[in-house]
């Protein structure tokens, strides 16, 4: 069954002098029990997709069009109260930089208890027991629930935010960059913890990160975003092992550890596109080593490839294998 369905999502931000087309016709769906990744460089629109889903866009953000369905429920037609209920009961959200947004003057345990009280009619001592249990689940010492955020390390604060998100055992966990800013060992531990919990609660995961290595380790399928567009999409095996899109290839070269070879990372030269108008060329054209005239004329459609569960938006998709070989050839 499809848990989450996003179709043709368009989101804009209004600024003083222009309209930012942050998410442009993004479609993807997550089947029950599947872990799904949303990848792409900074500014590609990842957080905007999550915030649109949850009705948490900043004031200047607008969902212009698109279908957003969770378990068959249209998320765009919910009242604020209904949305809040779904957000806690069914979908857990760990926002980007969540660990830095804990209330500094309230104990960590009290913050989680407050979240529980908002949704459940329970006594203080029941809520406290649940907080101790959640601390234990995320690998924190239950005897520390009366400590303040500043008494915890970054990795521990991130565990607190995970505990808070899990309080009501949701069907879907949306985690936006849950490991960014943590050191590598702590990152691994946090990811392991999220996976362990997600398996235990039998929930699905939407993992948002610019690190495709983390997605390769944890997800079944993914979408690669660039300039608000889905560039490539499908199973992790198809997209990350045999990418057909030059953007994915470039992203892979910036995280070479996926192939477990000792290659140096090569960043994609150039900078992301200006989003102040809808694209009239492929959004990646200016940075793409393979761009031709076609690529300057229109942004390519996302099309189904012959193998199952693989889609790519590239005018040169038919030549992808050759482009990959060209890219692998050493410079002379
Ligand atoms: P990161 O990896 O840095 O978190 P992201 O992929 O999550 O990036 P978004 O935060 O979704 O990207 O931003 C997408 C685009 O929308 C960017 O160009 C960003 O500058 C722009 N944007 C985001 N929020 C706003 C806002 N409130 N007003 C105007 N533009 C915004
Ligand atoms: Mg973001």
């Amino acid at each position: 069954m499809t848990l989450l369905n996003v179709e043709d999502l368009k989101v804009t931000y209004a600024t003083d002098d222009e309209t930012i087309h942050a998410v442009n016709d993004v479609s993807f769906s997550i089947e029950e029990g599947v872990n799904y990744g949303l990848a792409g460089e900074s500014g590609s629109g990842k957080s905007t997709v999550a915030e649109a889903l949850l009705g948490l866009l900043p004031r200047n953000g607008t969902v212009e069009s698109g279908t957003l369905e969770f378990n068959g429920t249209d998320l765009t037609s919910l009242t604020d109260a209904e949305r809040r209920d779904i957000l806690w009961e069914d979908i857990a959200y760990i926002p980007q930089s969540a660990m830095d947004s804990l209330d500094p003057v309230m104990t960590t345990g009290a913050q989680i208890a407050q979240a529980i009280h908002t949704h459940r009619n329970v006594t203080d001592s029941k809520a406290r027991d649940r907080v101790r249990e959640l601390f234990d689940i995320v690998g924190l010492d239950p005897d520390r629930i009366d400590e303040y955020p500043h008494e915890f390390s970054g990795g521990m604060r991130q565990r607190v935010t995970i505990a808070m998100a899990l309080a009501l055992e949701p069907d879907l966990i949306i985690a936006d960059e849950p490991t960014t800013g943590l050191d590598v060992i702590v990152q691994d531990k946090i990811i392991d913890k999220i996976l362990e919990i997600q398996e235990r609660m039998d929930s699905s995961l939407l993992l948002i990160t610019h690190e495709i290595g983390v997605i390769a380790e944890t997800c079944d399928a993914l979408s690669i975003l660039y300039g608000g567009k889905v560039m490539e999409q499908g199973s992790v095996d198809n997209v990350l092992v045999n990418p057909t899109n030059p953007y994915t290839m470039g992203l892979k070269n910036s995280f070479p550890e996926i192939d477990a070879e000792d290659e140096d990372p090569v960043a994609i030269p150039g900078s992301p596109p200006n989003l102040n108008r809808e694209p009239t060329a492929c959004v990646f054209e200016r940075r793409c080593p393979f761009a031709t005239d076609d690529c300057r004329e229109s942004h390519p459609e996302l099309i189904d490839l012959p193998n199952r569960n693989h889609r790519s938006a590239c005018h040169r998709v038919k030549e992808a294998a050759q482009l990959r070989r060209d890219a692998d050839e050493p410079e002379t």
Side-chain angles (χ1 to χ4, degrees):
M1 223 189 84
T2 303
L3 191 63
L4 183 75
N5 186 34
V6 176
E7 250 168 77
D8 299 327
L9 176 65
K10 264 189 209 289
V11 182
T12 59
Y13 292 109
T15 66
D16 284 347
D17 43 9
E18 53 189 12
T19 301
I20 306 292
H21 298 264
V23 170
N24 220 326
D25 290 327
V26 164
S27 302
F28 65 95
S29 58
I30 306 182
E31 299 301 311
E32 230 169 73
V34 157
N35 287 345
Y36 200 91
L38 215 48
E41 283 168 295
S42 183
S44 57
K46 305 181 296 294
S47 297
T48 302
V49 169
E51 289 163 3
L53 275 170
L54 301 162
L56 295 173
L57 286 168
R59 274 161 173 270
N60 67 333
T62 307
V63 174
E64 300 284 349
S65 56
T67 307
L68 301 172
E69 283 172 339
F70 176 75
N71 261 335
T73 302
D74 175 6
L75 291 174
T76 57
S77 69
L78 298 177
T79 62
D80 285 350
E82 288 168 336
R83 196 190 306 278
R84 270 195 302 274
D85 281 347
I86 282 206
L87 181 51
W88 278 93
E89 302 273 353
D90 303 306
I91 307 180
Y93 178 45
I94 305 166
Q96 192 164 1
S97 312
M99 63 181 162
D100 300 324
S101 57
L102 291 170
D103 187 339
V105 296
M106 202 171 171
T107 65
T108 49
Q111 294 182 56
I112 301 175
Q114 190 179 50
I116 296 172
H117 280 306
T118 313
H119 295 271
R120 294 272 197 275
N121 197 4
V122 292
T123 60
D124 283 349
S125 89
K126 273 256 159 56
R128 236 180 119 76
D129 288 347
R130 177 69 178 143
V131 173
R132 289 182 62 92
E133 188 184 7
L134 287 162
F135 259 52
D136 189 45
I137 290 173
V138 299
L140 291 170
D141 178 357
D143 289 338
R144 297 187 63 179
I145 63 170
D146 293 321
E147 292 183 22
Y148 290 87
H150 72 87
E151 297 175 80
F152 291 100
S153 68
M156 290 159 82
R157 284 203 302 277
Q158 189 62 305
R159 285 171 197 259
V160 172
T161 68
I162 296 168
M164 192 168 341
L166 296 173
L168 304 181
E169 307 213 343
D171 295 330
L172 176 68
I173 304 168
I174 300 181
D176 193 348
E177 303 277 7
T179 59
T180 304
L182 302 173
D183 75 55
V184 182
I185 296 170
V186 179
Q187 280 188 9
D188 283 349
K189 284 194 182 148
I190 294 282
I191 288 291
D192 286 349
K193 205 38 136 182
I194 292 178
L195 285 178
E196 184 192 310
I197 292 165
Q198 168 256 326
E199 251 172 57
R200 188 160 121 183
M201 294 192 180
D202 202 19
S203 43
S204 300
L205 175 68
L206 174 57
L207 180 67
I208 299 176
T209 175
H210 63 281
E211 291 179 73
I212 51 177
V214 174
I215 289 180
E217 279 172 41
T218 52
C219 294
D220 310 292
L222 81 163
S223 285
I224 307 259
L225 288 187
Y226 181 75
K229 288 278 189 189
V230 175
M231 301 303 284
E232 191 159 5
Q233 173 174 87
S235 69
V236 163
D237 283 350
N238 284 334
V239 175
L240 295 183
V241 180
N242 292 306
T244 63
N245 194 293
Y247 180 62
T248 313
M249 297 176 201
L251 207 56
K252 244 185 99 168
N253 291 336
S254 20
F255 295 95
E257 71 270 19
I258 285 189
D259 287 340
E261 282 167 23
D262 279 339
E263 282 176 39
D264 287 333
V266 187
I268 308 174
S271 49
N274 196 333
L275 301 172
N276 62 3
R277 58 188 162 90
E278 295 213 39
T280 52
C282 171
V283 287
F284 189 52
E285 177 264 321
R286 280 188 311 118
R287 298 170 77 187
C288 182
F290 311 116
T292 63
D293 286 347
D294 285 348
C295 311
R296 287 176 267 278
E297 268 162 30
S298 62
H299 183 80
E301 297 268 316
L302 186 67
I303 55 155
D304 278 306
L305 301 179
N307 46 342
R308 247 184 96 244
N309 202 3
H310 198 179
R311 282 167 291 283
S312 181
C314 176
H315 285 298
R316 302 193 66 188
V317 69
K318 289 209 175 78
E319 305 152 77
Q322 181 60 41
L323 300 181
R324 243 186 345 250
R325 281 192 292 275
D326 289 354
D328 284 344
E329 244 165 49
E331 305 237 342
T332 46

